[in-house]
């Protein structure tokens, strides 16, 4: 939601952050104690770099690491196009190395964000601002630092802990369990100083895209649900407690229409958003229309830009969208295509390939054409292979200069909170009552299903819960996290005519520490298997 939160990033013109090729990269600022901002509006501007850095990589390289390594998304080459040095097929086959561009780039992005948060904490502590502004400002920065740390812990596992600025001594690698404890303690120390979502639209607009109590609760719920993966000790009852802390705030509710959550004009009016990353159509924007839509349909959606034909999903993943009446199925493009009706549906008028009377047909299977690796060819027919996404609905005002969408990207939302609670109970936690309702796994899953227009389930178990998460949270950046927790990250989904197969070594559940970082800091220890 571009117009409402653009003020958060204007400070990027004042403060410049380098790409962080070192953990102690310096950050220059014009602020000193004598001229430090003192009003709430000043603070909002000052903290903008936390958010501009977050948006810069979340919806492209970070997302690719979480999704292209699973069955949920794939970028095949098309007669050599979109191969980009093999980086996408390496994610698909789990054959990445410590010099993979995303492995390096996201490490630098994450620790650049952490380093900047530490710098901002120092500035706020040294300022002459009121105690209340200092307290709330430090809480906001700390929660953002913990979000960055969660991303790094989830992807790389054993990472250094840095909570000072500048970094005087190279930090050593810490165990994943230690990083988990650091994040947990950090959040619990500041959570009461964070604001809550209210029933006041103006207040919610001001808080949108910034940490709230409920964002911290949702982040802790995600950590506790995965605690056995991260630390070796399960924390399912704690996950339920965090879910309840979110749901007790009745200012959150499931939106009536699933489609609304992902429209180009989404924003603080979405009732279930717990934390989202705002985007506009400038770089960095979100990639989903540019790379995941279908080029030959662009004009039918009112766009006059050159889009990609690259990214799709696998038919194995799409096959889970099998519930009658489920509106989430309409977030995919497959089979004969029709002119959209402007309301998220379709007319009976066929959509044709440009300059022809041949109806566009998107076929689900990606059929490789050896010998080029993971390559489907580049004919009209092969370009039409692969199920395309319509989830982040195309914006007809998309501009040629960037070809990027302005749809905000949710990180945490209420439906995920509910499904995580259902899973925690299925794994052994005790069901609890919230706002007068006993919330069993079946109740929670059926709340999500009913909103989507699907028939209620008669029962729910862990396999069906994983399928429900796939339907509800597709392309939201959680598939790798889910598959690892369910022990299914190594399940192969072979492509037709593919002589290669996935590397099933469980060491691939963690990405390697980049070779560039180990050269700079010999105290870092490489993850096993690399």
């Amino acid at each position: 939601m571009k117009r409402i939160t653009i003020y958060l990033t204007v400070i990027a013109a004042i403060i410049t952050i380098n790409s962080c090729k070192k953990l102690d990269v310096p950050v220059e600022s014009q602020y000193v104690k004598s001229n430090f901002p003192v009003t709430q509006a000043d603070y909002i501007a000052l903290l903008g770099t936390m958010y501009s850095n977050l948006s810069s990589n979340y919806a492209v390289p970070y997302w690719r690491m979480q999704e292209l390594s699973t069955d949920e998304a794939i970028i095949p080459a098309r007669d050599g196009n979109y191969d980009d040095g093999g980086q996408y097929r390496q994610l698909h086959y789990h054959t990445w190395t410590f010099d993979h561009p995303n492995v390096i780039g996201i490490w630098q992005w994450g620790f650049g964000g952490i380093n900047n948060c530490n710098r901002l904490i120092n500035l706020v502590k040294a300022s002459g601002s009121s105690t209340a502004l200092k307290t709330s400002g430090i809480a906001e920065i700390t929660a953002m630092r913990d979000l960055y740390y969660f991303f790094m812990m989830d992807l790389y596992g054993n990472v250094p802990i840095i909570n000072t600025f500048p970094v005087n001594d190279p930090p050593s690698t810490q165990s994943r369990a230690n990083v988990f404890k650091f994040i947990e303690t950090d959040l619990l120390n500041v959570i009461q100083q964070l604001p809550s979502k209210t029933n006041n639209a103006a207040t919610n607009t001001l808080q949108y895209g910034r940490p709230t109590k409920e964002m911290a609760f949702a982040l802790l719920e995600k950590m506790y649900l995965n605690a056995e993966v991260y630390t070796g000790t399960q924390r399912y009852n704690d996950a339920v407690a965090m879910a309840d802390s979110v749901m007790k705030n009745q200012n959150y509710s499931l939106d009536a229409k699933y489609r609304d959550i992902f429209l180009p004009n989404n924003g603080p009016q979405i009732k279930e958003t717990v934390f989202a990353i705002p985007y506009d159509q400038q770089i960095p924007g979100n990639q989903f229309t540019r790379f995941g839509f279908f080029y030959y349909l662009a004009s039918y959606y009112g766009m006059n830009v050159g889009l990609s034909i690259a990214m799709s999903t696998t038919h194995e993943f799409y096959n889970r969208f099998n519930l009658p009446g489920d509106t989430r199925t309409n977030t995919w493009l497959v089979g004969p295509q029709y002119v959209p009706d402007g309301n998220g549906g379709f007319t009976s008028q066929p959509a044709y390939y440009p300059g022809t009377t041949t109806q566009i047909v998107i076929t689900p299977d990606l059929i490789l054409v050896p010998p080029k690796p993971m390559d489907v060819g580049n004919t009209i027919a092969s370009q039409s292979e692969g199920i395309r996404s319509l989830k982040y609905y195309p914006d007809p005002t998309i501009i040629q200069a960037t070809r990027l969408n302005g749809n905000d990207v949710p990180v945490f939302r209420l439906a995920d909170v509910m499904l995580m609670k259902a899973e925690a109970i299925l794994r052994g936690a005790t069901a609890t009552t919230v706002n007068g309702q006993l919330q069993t796994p079946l109740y929670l899953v059926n709340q999500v299903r009913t909103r989507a227009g699907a028939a209620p389930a008669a029962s729910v178990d862990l396999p069906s819960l994983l399928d429900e998460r796939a339907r509800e949270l597709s392309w939201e950046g959680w598939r790798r996290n889910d598959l690892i927790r369910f022990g299914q990250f190594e399940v192969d989904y072979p492509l037709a005519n593919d002589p290669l197969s996935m590397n099933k070594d469980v060491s691939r559940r963690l990405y390697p520490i980049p070779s560039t970082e180990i050269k700079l800091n010999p105290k870092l220890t490489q993850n096993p298997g690399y």
Side-chain angles (χ1 to χ4, degrees):
M1 186 65 180
K2 350 332 96 200
R3 295 173 297 279
I4 291 174
T5 56
I6 193 68
Y7 58 81
L8 289 174
T9 57
V10 295
I11 197 64
I14 300 174
I15 302 174
T16 301
I17 302 177
N18 293 323
S19 62
C20 191
K21 294 187 177 179
K22 297 181 180 180
L23 292 172
D24 61 345
V25 60
V27 184
E28 302 299 329
S29 171
Q30 70 183 44
Y31 291 121
V32 295
K33 187 173 183 179
S34 62
N35 71 346
F36 191 86
V38 294
T39 68
Q40 185 177 33
D42 292 337
Y43 265 85
I44 290 172
L46 171 70
L47 304 186
T49 49
M50 293 193 307
Y51 303 104
S52 58
N53 182 72
L54 183 67
S55 64
S56 67
N57 280 287
Y58 184 83
V60 185
Y62 172 83
W63 185 91
R64 288 173 177 170
M65 291 177 77
Q66 294 287 14
E67 301 287 42
L68 294 181
S69 58
T70 76
D71 57 346
E72 193 163 284
I74 184 171
I75 300 180
R78 298 179 187 269
D79 198 19
N81 297 303
Y82 311 110
D83 186 66
D84 291 354
Q87 59 177 298
Y88 311 127
R89 52 184 160 89
Q90 289 166 11
L91 291 171
H92 175 81
Y93 293 122
H94 293 192
T95 58
W96 54 77
T97 63
F98 47 61
D99 58 359
H100 188 282
N102 288 165
V103 168
I104 295 172
I106 291 304
W107 178 282
Q108 295 172 352
W109 167 75
F111 280 102
I114 290 165
N115 198 47
N116 184 45
C117 288
N118 288 332
R119 179 190 67 86
L120 290 171
I121 288 172
N122 277 8
L123 281 173
V124 172
K125 285 181 176 179
S127 76
S129 305
S130 69
T131 300
L133 275 177
K134 279 188 177 183
T135 299
S136 62
I138 290 172
E140 180 177 353
I141 301 164
T142 300
M144 284 299 299
R145 182 179 68 181
D146 292 331
L147 181 63
Y148 279 115
Y149 255 118
F150 170 78
F151 293 151
M152 296 297 98
M153 177 185 69
D154 184 67
L155 289 171
Y156 300 96
N158 309 304
V159 299
I161 295 174
I162 309 165
N163 60 358
T164 60
F165 183 89
V167 180
N168 295 317
D169 297 310
S172 301
T173 301
Q174 296 289 321
S175 71
R176 207 179 201 184
N178 283 349
V179 180
F180 180 101
K181 184 63 177 177
F182 173 82
I183 300 170
E184 179 188 26
T185 302
D186 223 26
L187 282 172
L188 293 175
N189 283 341
V190 302
I191 204 164
Q192 294 307 318
Q193 282 75 56
L194 295 170
S196 278
K197 185 173 183 177
T198 71
N199 60 3
N200 183 287
T203 300
N204 292 336
T205 295
L206 185 64
Q207 293 174 356
Y208 181 70
R210 300 165 62 195
T212 60
K213 283 186 176 69
E214 291 78 24
M215 176 270 209
F217 290 139
L219 176 53
L220 285 167
E221 181 187 12
K222 188 72 71 172
M223 289 173 56
Y224 293 145
L225 185 65
N226 289 280
E228 194 163 11
V229 173
Y230 295 151
T231 71
T233 302
Q234 60 89 4
R235 302 279 297 272
Y236 298 122
N237 278 315
D238 291 331
V240 168
M242 293 300 102
D244 291 352
S245 295
V246 176
M247 289 187 282
K248 286 174 182 176
N249 185 339
Q250 296 186 55
N251 293 304
Y252 291 95
S253 61
L254 294 178
D255 287 85
K257 294 182 179 180
Y258 183 77
R259 169 71 74 196
D260 290 351
I261 307 167
F262 310 99
L263 290 175
N265 66 345
N266 61 356
Q269 78 276 13
I270 301 301
K271 297 176 181 178
E272 69 184 79
T273 299
V274 178
F275 182 76
I277 299 178
Y279 283 99
D280 58 26
Q281 294 172 337
Q282 303 300 319
I283 294 174
N286 87 47
Q287 68 168 349
F288 300 112
T289 292
R290 177 179 177 181
F291 294 114
F293 188 54
F294 189 57
Y295 172 82
Y296 295 113
L297 286 170
S299 63
Y300 289 105
Y301 287 79
M303 296 180 290
N304 185 27
V305 295
L307 302 175
S308 171
I309 55 168
M311 192 162 64
S312 61
T313 193
T314 66
H315 71 263
E316 290 93 343
F317 183 79
Y318 173 74
N319 287 344
R320 294 175 173 84
F321 290 77
N322 54 7
L323 304 178
D326 190 344
T327 59
R328 297 170 299 188
T329 304
N330 295 334
T331 62
W332 300 102
L333 297 172
V334 63
Q337 297 300 297
Y338 296 87
V339 175
D341 62 10
N343 296 307
F346 302 93
T347 68
S348 59
Q349 173 63 41
Y352 301 116
Y353 290 103
T356 77
T357 56
T358 302
Q359 186 174 12
I360 295 172
V361 178
I362 297 175
T363 55
D365 290 324
L366 293 164
I367 302 171
L368 302 191
V369 183
K372 295 178 181 178
M374 209 173 90
D375 198 310
V376 298
N378 205 23
T379 65
I380 294 293
S382 63
Q383 289 173 6
S384 303
E385 292 177 7
I387 302 156
R388 301 319 209 275
S389 174
L390 198 65
K391 184 165 186 174
Y392 295 90
Y393 202 80
D395 186 349
T397 67
I398 191 170
I399 58 177
Q400 181 68 48
T402 65
R403 298 177 291 166
L404 297 172
N405 255 37
N407 315 53
D408 298 347
V409 177
V411 179
F412 300 111
R413 58 186 180 91
L414 182 62
D416 189 11
V417 168
M418 296 168 70
L419 292 177
M420 287 194 288
K421 179 179 180 179
E423 182 182 335
I425 296 169
L426 287 172
R427 292 185 183 276
T430 302
T432 57
T433 298
V434 177
N435 301 325
Q437 172 65 52
L438 177 63
Q439 294 186 333
T440 64
L442 186 61
Y443 168 82
L444 291 162
V445 168
N446 280 337
Q447 289 289 107
V448 173
R449 277 201 181 194
T450 299
R451 187 269 298 279
S459 62
V460 61
D461 56 14
L462 284 173
S464 63
L465 189 282
L466 181 60
D467 285 346
E468 197 64 42
R469 288 188 61 81
R471 285 186 285 266
E472 180 67 23
L473 300 166
S474 64
W475 281 32
E476 292 184 49
W478 294 117
R479 185 64 171 169
R480 171 184 164 274
N481 182 278
D482 288 348
L483 292 180
I484 290 172
R485 188 173 65 256
F486 277 79
Q488 295 188 25
F489 190 55
E490 293 76 37
V491 173
D492 209 351
Y493 38 99
L495 302 173
N497 297 337
D498 196 349
L500 303 177
S501 59
M502 178 192 290
N503 177 0
K504 297 184 180 182
D505 191 328
V506 295
S507 68
R508 298 285 150 161
R509 295 181 184 183
L510 290 179
Y511 285 99
I513 296 175
S515 58
T516 52
E517 300 301 323
I518 292 178
K519 289 176 182 177
L520 289 169
N521 179 9
K523 291 184 179 180
L524 298 178
T525 303
Q526 186 57 273
N527 286 325
Y530 297 99

